[in-house]
């Protein structure tokens, strides 16, 4: 029987959000732009007792607030590659920026011949190998940048309503938009694992029709599922999303 914490890396990059006594499987989450591991704490009461939940913290946020922010996807992936191989059957989940980072991380693990999760779940982002449909905003002056972030639902509205939070988050948001807007896709073989592709039916950052192209990057059986709502449909349908993820792992 797996020991406590068998699937959790002892690393600043990965935060264990719970500690099952006998974890049999795990979900590792990568957050949206401006987000941190705390975005997934509300998932904990929705999980079965045997399922371990961990989430990534990038430099410059949460306990890593004093570290320099990263603006190149390659540097983020290099940090993730320093994590040990998965010790349990694993789902990797990424929302928005997290979807891009998850895909790149697993692509590099595959290239290195290392262990892969049983499933990749990407959410709220267009496929990385298709042209961007929006003009970049990371270089705009603060007021214009925040206007565009609000327009595209790039951060939860409850954060944008608080000026002190916005001031704190502005450098992080700008760094994260730089990550995604300066990203250059490198063609590679499709991942040999299935992908579940989630989207909001009214997400201004990605049209539902775009989501299907993610299937080119995963194994046979990859599929698209949508939910009512916008970019943060995860908040509206948290229980349904978490429940769907748990069906992808052994009981």
């Amino acid at each position: 029987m797996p020991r406590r914490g068998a699937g959790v890396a002892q690393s600043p990059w990965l935060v264990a959000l719970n500690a099952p006594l006998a974890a049999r499987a795990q979900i590792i989450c990568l957050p949206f732009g401006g987000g941190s591991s705390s975005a997934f704490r509300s998932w904990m009461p929705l999980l079965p007792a045997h399922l371990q939940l961990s989430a990534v913290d990038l430099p410059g946020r949460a306990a890593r607030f004093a570290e320099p922010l990263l603006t190149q996807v390659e540097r983020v992936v290099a940090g993730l590659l320093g994590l040990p191989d998965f010790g349990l059957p694993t789902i990797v989940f990424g929302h928005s920026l997290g979807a891009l980072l998850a895909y790149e991380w697993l692509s590099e693990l595959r290239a290195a011949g290392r262990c892969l999760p049983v499933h990749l779940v990407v959410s709220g982002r267009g496929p990385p190998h298709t042209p961007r449909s929006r003009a970049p905003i990371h270089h705009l002056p603060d007021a214009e940048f925040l206007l565009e972030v609000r327009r595209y639902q790039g951060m939860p509205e409850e954060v944008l309503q608080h000026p002190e939070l916005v001031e704190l988050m502005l450098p992080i948001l700008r760094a994260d938009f730089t990550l995604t807007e300066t990203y250059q896709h490198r063609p590679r073989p499709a991942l040999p694992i299935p992908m579940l592709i989630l989207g909001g039916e009214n997400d201004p950052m990605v049209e539902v029709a775009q989501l299907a192209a993610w299937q080119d990057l995963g194994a046979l059986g990859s599929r698209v599922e949508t939910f009512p709502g916008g970019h943060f449909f995860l908040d509206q349908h948290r229980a349904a999303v978490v429940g769907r993820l748990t069906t992808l792992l052994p009981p």
Side-chain angles (χ1 to χ4, degrees):
M1 182 175 291
R3 66 188 182 280
R4 179 192 291 252
V8 175
Q10 299 301 310
S11 165
W13 285 86
L14 198 62
V15 176
L17 298 177
N18 65 355
L21 289 172
R24 299 198 299 269
Q26 67 175 338
I27 300 174
I28 295 177
C29 300
L30 288 85
F32 51 86
S36 68
S37 58
S38 64
F40 300 99
R41 291 191 182 279
S42 60
W43 288 23
M44 291 190 292
L46 304 172
L47 296 171
H50 69 273
L51 190 53
Q52 189 165 279
L53 179 67
S54 303
V56 166
D57 270 335
L58 301 185
R61 62 214 75 198
R64 309 184 71 187
F65 189 79
E67 298 180 42
L69 295 161
L70 301 181
T71 56
Q72 295 174 304
V73 169
E74 295 80 6
R75 293 189 63 192
V76 175
V77 171
L80 294 171
L81 289 172
L83 294 172
D85 287 345
F86 307 118
L88 297 168
T90 300
I91 288 173
V92 170
F93 170 88
H95 182 70
S96 198
L97 171 64
L100 172 63
L101 298 178
Y103 165 75
E104 283 292 320
W105 176 27
L106 301 193
S107 294
E108 291 302 309
L109 287 177
R110 179 189 188 277
R114 293 176 59 185
C115 179
L116 291 174
V118 298
H119 229 97
L120 170 60
V121 182
V122 293
S123 168
R125 193 190 191 281
H129 63 308
T130 58
R132 290 183 54 82
S133 59
R134 297 187 300 115
I137 66 171
H138 67 272
H139 61 287
L140 294 176
D142 289 353
E144 294 176 47
F145 174 71
L146 287 171
L147 184 65
E148 292 299 307
V149 169
R150 177 175 269 112
R151 177 184 170 198
Y152 288 112
Q153 300 176 11
M155 275 292 288
E157 189 62 28
E158 57 268 26
V159 173
L160 293 170
Q161 291 292 339
H162 297 278
E164 68 281 3
L165 281 180
V166 170
E167 183 178 358
L168 186 68
M169 293 297 301
L170 186 58
I172 298 172
L173 276 173
R174 194 179 292 280
D176 287 353
F177 271 84
T178 303
L179 277 170
T180 192
E181 292 179 346
T182 60
Y183 166 79
Q184 297 291 323
H185 178 71
R186 294 183 295 115
R188 282 161 289 188
L191 291 169
I193 57 172
M195 299 171 62
L196 176 62
I197 303 119
L198 304 180
E201 293 170 2
N202 303 112
D203 186 345
M205 296 189 77
V206 54
E207 296 180 7
V208 170
Q210 294 177 275
L211 297 173
W214 271 106
Q215 295 172 97
D216 301 338
L217 305 180
L220 195 66
S222 297
R223 61 218 171 276
V224 175
E225 297 180 14
T226 60
F227 291 82
H231 190 60
F232 286 98
F233 68 90
L234 294 177
D235 294 337
Q236 297 168 261
H237 305 285
R238 185 178 297 120
V241 170
V242 174
R244 183 69 182 91
L245 266 58
T246 62
T247 68
L248 304 175
L249 286 165

